[in-house]
mmCIF file of all heavy atoms in Angstrom:
data_model
loop_
_atom_site.group_PDB
_atom_site.id
_atom_site.type_symbol
_atom_site.label_atom_id
_atom_site.label_comp_id
_atom_site.label_asym_id
_atom_site.label_seq_id
_atom_site.Cartn_x
_atom_site.Cartn_y
_atom_site.Cartn_z
ATOM 1 N N TYR A 53 -12.373 8.135 12.437
ATOM 2 C CA TYR A 53 -11.144 8.442 13.184
ATOM 3 C C TYR A 53 -9.868 8.140 12.409
ATOM 4 O O TYR A 53 -8.780 8.302 12.965
ATOM 5 C CB TYR A 53 -11.142 7.683 14.515
ATOM 6 C CG TYR A 53 -12.257 8.150 15.415
ATOM 7 C CD1 TYR A 53 -13.491 7.510 15.401
ATOM 8 C CD2 TYR A 53 -12.099 9.257 16.245
ATOM 9 C CE1 TYR A 53 -14.538 7.948 16.198
ATOM 10 C CE2 TYR A 53 -13.133 9.698 17.050
ATOM 11 C CZ TYR A 53 -14.364 9.044 17.015
ATOM 12 O OH TYR A 53 -15.394 9.489 17.811
ATOM 13 N N GLY A 54 -10.016 7.752 11.146
ATOM 14 C CA GLY A 54 -8.800 7.473 10.400
ATOM 15 C C GLY A 54 -8.852 7.824 8.933
ATOM 16 O O GLY A 54 -7.829 7.739 8.252
ATOM 17 N N VAL A 55 -10.035 8.216 8.434
ATOM 18 C CA VAL A 55 -10.155 8.437 6.992
ATOM 19 C C VAL A 55 -10.830 9.761 6.647
ATOM 20 O O VAL A 55 -10.299 10.550 5.872
ATOM 21 C CB VAL A 55 -10.949 7.268 6.332
ATOM 22 C CG1 VAL A 55 -11.089 7.503 4.835
ATOM 23 C CG2 VAL A 55 -10.276 5.929 6.601
ATOM 24 N N MET A 56 -11.997 10.005 7.206
ATOM 25 C CA MET A 56 -12.782 11.162 6.793
ATOM 26 C C MET A 56 -12.193 12.476 7.291
ATOM 27 O O MET A 56 -11.618 12.556 8.376
ATOM 28 C CB MET A 56 -14.226 11.017 7.295
ATOM 29 C CG MET A 56 -15.001 9.912 6.612
ATOM 30 S SD MET A 56 -16.632 9.623 7.362
ATOM 31 C CE MET A 56 -17.428 11.204 7.087
ATOM 32 N N ARG A 57 -12.355 13.508 6.450
ATOM 33 C CA ARG A 57 -11.929 14.861 6.815
ATOM 34 C C ARG A 57 -13.100 15.561 7.492
ATOM 35 O O ARG A 57 -14.119 15.854 6.862
ATOM 36 C CB ARG A 57 -11.475 15.627 5.576
ATOM 37 C CG ARG A 57 -10.249 15.022 4.904
ATOM 38 C CD ARG A 57 -9.689 15.920 3.811
ATOM 39 N NE ARG A 57 -10.619 16.131 2.733
ATOM 40 C CZ ARG A 57 -10.398 15.806 1.459
ATOM 41 N NH1 ARG A 57 -9.270 15.197 1.127
ATOM 42 N NH2 ARG A 57 -11.296 16.058 0.531
ATOM 43 N N LEU A 58 -12.939 15.842 8.791
ATOM 44 C CA LEU A 58 -13.979 16.469 9.599
ATOM 45 C C LEU A 58 -13.340 17.531 10.485
ATOM 46 O O LEU A 58 -12.132 17.530 10.689
ATOM 47 C CB LEU A 58 -14.680 15.430 10.481
ATOM 48 C CG LEU A 58 -15.340 14.234 9.779
ATOM 49 C CD1 LEU A 58 -15.719 13.169 10.804
ATOM 50 C CD2 LEU A 58 -16.565 14.680 8.990
ATOM 51 N N ARG A 59 -14.179 18.421 11.012
ATOM 52 C CA ARG A 59 -13.721 19.403 11.994
ATOM 53 C C ARG A 59 -14.532 19.241 13.268
ATOM 54 O O ARG A 59 -15.766 19.245 13.230
ATOM 55 C CB ARG A 59 -13.887 20.836 11.465
ATOM 56 C CG ARG A 59 -12.831 21.268 10.471
ATOM 57 C CD ARG A 59 -13.012 22.733 10.093
ATOM 58 N NE ARG A 59 -11.986 23.182 9.170
ATOM 59 C CZ ARG A 59 -11.976 24.393 8.607
ATOM 60 N NH1 ARG A 59 -12.943 25.270 8.871
ATOM 61 N NH2 ARG A 59 -11.000 24.719 7.773
ATOM 62 N N ARG A 60 -13.823 19.109 14.381
ATOM 63 C CA ARG A 60 -14.489 18.912 15.660
ATOM 64 C C ARG A 60 -15.430 20.070 15.967
ATOM 65 O O ARG A 60 -15.053 21.241 15.860
ATOM 66 C CB ARG A 60 -13.441 18.771 16.774
ATOM 67 C CG ARG A 60 -14.009 18.398 18.119
ATOM 68 C CD ARG A 60 -12.907 17.921 19.048
ATOM 69 N NE ARG A 60 -12.267 16.708 18.527
ATOM 70 C CZ ARG A 60 -12.773 15.492 18.659
ATOM 71 N NH1 ARG A 60 -13.934 15.329 19.285
ATOM 72 N NH2 ARG A 60 -12.135 14.449 18.168
ATOM 73 N N GLY A 61 -16.658 19.730 16.331
ATOM 74 C CA GLY A 61 -17.644 20.742 16.689
ATOM 75 C C GLY A 61 -18.254 21.497 15.524
ATOM 76 O O GLY A 61 -19.029 22.424 15.732
ATOM 77 N N GLU A 62 -17.913 21.092 14.280
ATOM 78 C CA GLU A 62 -18.443 21.792 13.103
ATOM 79 C C GLU A 62 -19.108 20.791 12.155
ATOM 80 O O GLU A 62 -18.565 20.465 11.096
ATOM 81 C CB GLU A 62 -17.328 22.540 12.366
ATOM 82 C CG GLU A 62 -16.688 23.661 13.162
ATOM 83 C CD GLU A 62 -15.687 24.449 12.326
ATOM 84 O OE1 GLU A 62 -15.921 24.662 11.110
ATOM 85 O OE2 GLU A 62 -14.653 24.839 12.900
ATOM 86 N N PRO A 63 -20.296 20.318 12.501
ATOM 87 C CA PRO A 63 -20.952 19.316 11.649
ATOM 88 C C PRO A 63 -21.368 19.839 10.288
ATOM 89 O O PRO A 63 -21.600 19.041 9.372
ATOM 90 C CB PRO A 63 -22.176 18.910 12.476
ATOM 91 C CG PRO A 63 -22.448 20.079 13.360
ATOM 92 C CD PRO A 63 -21.098 20.634 13.700
ATOM 93 N N ASP A 64 -21.432 21.162 10.132
ATOM 94 C CA ASP A 64 -21.860 21.746 8.860
ATOM 95 C C ASP A 64 -20.714 22.373 8.067
ATOM 96 O O ASP A 64 -20.944 23.134 7.120
ATOM 97 C CB ASP A 64 -22.938 22.816 9.103
ATOM 98 C CG ASP A 64 -24.205 22.227 9.695
ATOM 99 O OD1 ASP A 64 -24.573 21.117 9.289
ATOM 100 O OD2 ASP A 64 -24.820 22.877 10.565
ATOM 101 N N TRP A 65 -19.488 22.062 8.437
ATOM 102 C CA TRP A 65 -18.334 22.566 7.684
ATOM 103 C C TRP A 65 -18.513 22.184 6.207
ATOM 104 O O TRP A 65 -18.652 21.000 5.876
ATOM 105 C CB TRP A 65 -17.057 21.952 8.249
ATOM 106 C CG TRP A 65 -15.808 22.311 7.503
ATOM 107 C CD1 TRP A 65 -15.464 23.521 7.003
ATOM 108 C CD2 TRP A 65 -14.735 21.412 7.174
ATOM 109 N NE1 TRP A 65 -14.237 23.436 6.379
ATOM 110 C CE2 TRP A 65 -13.771 22.169 6.457
ATOM 111 C CE3 TRP A 65 -14.496 20.058 7.411
ATOM 112 C CZ2 TRP A 65 -12.590 21.607 5.986
ATOM 113 C CZ3 TRP A 65 -13.328 19.499 6.952
ATOM 114 C CH2 TRP A 65 -12.382 20.269 6.231
ATOM 115 N N PRO A 66 -18.536 23.166 5.294
ATOM 116 C CA PRO A 66 -18.873 22.873 3.890
ATOM 117 C C PRO A 66 -17.935 21.886 3.206
ATOM 118 O O PRO A 66 -18.364 21.161 2.302
ATOM 119 C CB PRO A 66 -18.798 24.249 3.217
ATOM 120 C CG PRO A 66 -18.998 25.240 4.314
ATOM 121 C CD PRO A 66 -18.365 24.616 5.521
ATOM 122 N N ASP A 67 -16.673 21.842 3.617
ATOM 123 C CA ASP A 67 -15.715 20.976 2.936
ATOM 124 C C ASP A 67 -15.511 19.636 3.640
ATOM 125 O O ASP A 67 -14.585 18.884 3.299
ATOM 126 C CB ASP A 67 -14.371 21.700 2.802
ATOM 127 C CG ASP A 67 -14.445 22.854 1.811
ATOM 128 O OD1 ASP A 67 -15.077 22.676 0.753
ATOM 129 O OD2 ASP A 67 -13.904 23.929 2.105
ATOM 130 N N ARG A 68 -16.373 19.321 4.600
ATOM 131 C CA ARG A 68 -16.268 18.024 5.281
ATOM 132 C C ARG A 68 -16.558 16.893 4.305
ATOM 133 O O ARG A 68 -17.293 17.059 3.334
ATOM 134 C CB ARG A 68 -17.277 17.938 6.429
ATOM 135 C CG ARG A 68 -18.729 17.808 5.940
ATOM 136 C CD ARG A 68 -19.742 17.962 7.057
ATOM 137 N NE ARG A 68 -21.104 17.755 6.565
ATOM 138 C CZ ARG A 68 -21.823 18.647 5.898
ATOM 139 N NH1 ARG A 68 -21.299 19.833 5.600
ATOM 140 N NH2 ARG A 68 -23.054 18.364 5.504
ATOM 141 N N ASP A 69 -15.987 15.733 4.560
ATOM 142 C CA ASP A 69 -16.403 14.537 3.840
ATOM 143 C C ASP A 69 -17.815 14.163 4.282
ATOM 144 O O ASP A 69 -18.180 14.349 5.446
ATOM 145 C CB ASP A 69 -15.449 13.378 4.125
ATOM 146 C CG ASP A 69 -14.117 13.528 3.414
ATOM 147 O OD1 ASP A 69 -14.052 14.270 2.411
ATOM 148 O OD2 ASP A 69 -13.136 12.903 3.870
ATOM 149 N N ARG A 70 -18.595 13.643 3.354
ATOM 150 C CA ARG A 70 -19.973 13.242 3.657
ATOM 151 C C ARG A 70 -20.038 11.747 3.948
ATOM 152 O O ARG A 70 -19.304 10.962 3.361
ATOM 153 C CB ARG A 70 -20.893 13.561 2.488
ATOM 154 C CG ARG A 70 -21.528 14.951 2.476
ATOM 155 C CD ARG A 70 -20.558 16.081 2.502
ATOM 156 N NE ARG A 70 -21.222 17.362 2.215
ATOM 157 C CZ ARG A 70 -20.615 18.529 2.238
ATOM 158 N NH1 ARG A 70 -19.321 18.598 2.510
ATOM 159 N NH2 ARG A 70 -21.288 19.643 1.973
ATOM 160 N N PHE A 71 -20.975 11.384 4.862
ATOM 161 C CA PHE A 71 -21.214 9.982 5.154
ATOM 162 C C PHE A 71 -22.709 9.700 5.091
ATOM 163 O O PHE A 71 -23.507 10.393 5.724
ATOM 164 C CB PHE A 71 -20.690 9.607 6.535
ATOM 165 C CG PHE A 71 -21.018 8.183 6.923
ATOM 166 C CD1 PHE A 71 -20.354 7.126 6.314
ATOM 167 C CD2 PHE A 71 -22.002 7.905 7.858
ATOM 168 C CE1 PHE A 71 -20.669 5.810 6.640
ATOM 169 C CE2 PHE A 71 -22.314 6.597 8.196
ATOM 170 C CZ PHE A 71 -21.649 5.547 7.585
ATOM 171 N N LEU A 72 -23.082 8.674 4.326
ATOM 172 C CA LEU A 72 -24.477 8.271 4.209
ATOM 173 C C LEU A 72 -24.589 6.839 4.713
ATOM 174 O O LEU A 72 -23.883 5.944 4.239
ATOM 175 C CB LEU A 72 -24.969 8.367 2.763
ATOM 176 C CG LEU A 72 -25.076 9.785 2.178
ATOM 177 C CD1 LEU A 72 -23.719 10.272 1.657
ATOM 178 C CD2 LEU A 72 -26.103 9.826 1.053
ATOM 179 N N PHE A 73 -25.499 6.624 5.652
ATOM 180 C CA PHE A 73 -25.663 5.348 6.335
ATOM 181 C C PHE A 73 -26.853 4.630 5.717
ATOM 182 O O PHE A 73 -27.981 4.754 6.182
ATOM 183 C CB PHE A 73 -25.904 5.624 7.822
ATOM 184 C CG PHE A 73 -25.473 4.536 8.751
ATOM 185 C CD1 PHE A 73 -25.522 4.738 10.122
ATOM 186 C CD2 PHE A 73 -25.007 3.316 8.294
ATOM 187 C CE1 PHE A 73 -25.123 3.753 11.018
ATOM 188 C CE2 PHE A 73 -24.601 2.327 9.177
ATOM 189 C CZ PHE A 73 -24.661 2.545 10.537
ATOM 190 N N GLY A 74 -26.595 3.870 4.638
ATOM 191 C CA GLY A 74 -27.686 3.181 3.967
ATOM 192 C C GLY A 74 -28.461 2.293 4.918
ATOM 193 O O GLY A 74 -29.691 2.313 4.949
ATOM 194 N N LYS A 75 -27.740 1.508 5.722
ATOM 195 C CA LYS A 75 -28.369 0.636 6.719
ATOM 196 C C LYS A 75 -28.629 1.450 7.987
ATOM 197 O O LYS A 75 -28.082 1.198 9.065
ATOM 198 C CB LYS A 75 -27.524 -0.595 6.986
ATOM 199 C CG LYS A 75 -26.036 -0.366 7.181
ATOM 200 C CD LYS A 75 -25.310 -1.651 7.535
ATOM 201 C CE LYS A 75 -25.526 -2.029 8.979
ATOM 202 N NZ LYS A 75 -24.892 -3.280 9.388
ATOM 203 N N GLY A 76 -29.498 2.441 7.828
ATOM 204 C CA GLY A 76 -29.728 3.419 8.884
ATOM 205 C C GLY A 76 -30.340 2.856 10.149
ATOM 206 O O GLY A 76 -30.334 3.525 11.193
ATOM 207 N N HIS A 77 -30.871 1.628 10.097
ATOM 208 C CA HIS A 77 -31.423 1.013 11.304
ATOM 209 C C HIS A 77 -30.337 0.739 12.343
ATOM 210 O O HIS A 77 -30.651 0.454 13.503
ATOM 211 C CB HIS A 77 -32.156 -0.289 10.959
ATOM 212 C CG HIS A 77 -31.355 -1.261 10.169
ATOM 213 N ND1 HIS A 77 -31.199 -1.171 8.805
ATOM 214 C CD2 HIS A 77 -30.646 -2.362 10.555
ATOM 215 C CE1 HIS A 77 -30.441 -2.174 8.385
ATOM 216 N NE2 HIS A 77 -30.086 -2.901 9.417
ATOM 217 N N ALA A 78 -29.071 0.841 11.952
ATOM 218 C CA ALA A 78 -27.957 0.641 12.888
ATOM 219 C C ALA A 78 -27.410 1.969 13.415
ATOM 220 O O ALA A 78 -26.281 2.027 13.903
ATOM 221 C CB ALA A 78 -26.841 -0.149 12.214
ATOM 222 N N ALA A 79 -28.210 3.021 13.364
ATOM 223 C CA ALA A 79 -27.739 4.365 13.722
ATOM 224 C C ALA A 79 -27.258 4.477 15.162
ATOM 225 O O ALA A 79 -26.454 5.364 15.476
ATOM 226 C CB ALA A 79 -28.845 5.390 13.472
#
Side-chain angles (χ1 to χ4, degrees):
Y53 295 92
V55 179
M56 291 173 62
R57 296 189 298 240
L58 302 168
R59 282 185 178 175
R60 187 165 297 280
E62 296 186 37
D64 296 322
W65 176 42
D67 290 318
R68 71 190 183 281
D69 286 339
R70 271 58 168 177
F71 175 72
L72 292 83
F73 207 174
K75 45 176 283 178
H77 53 279

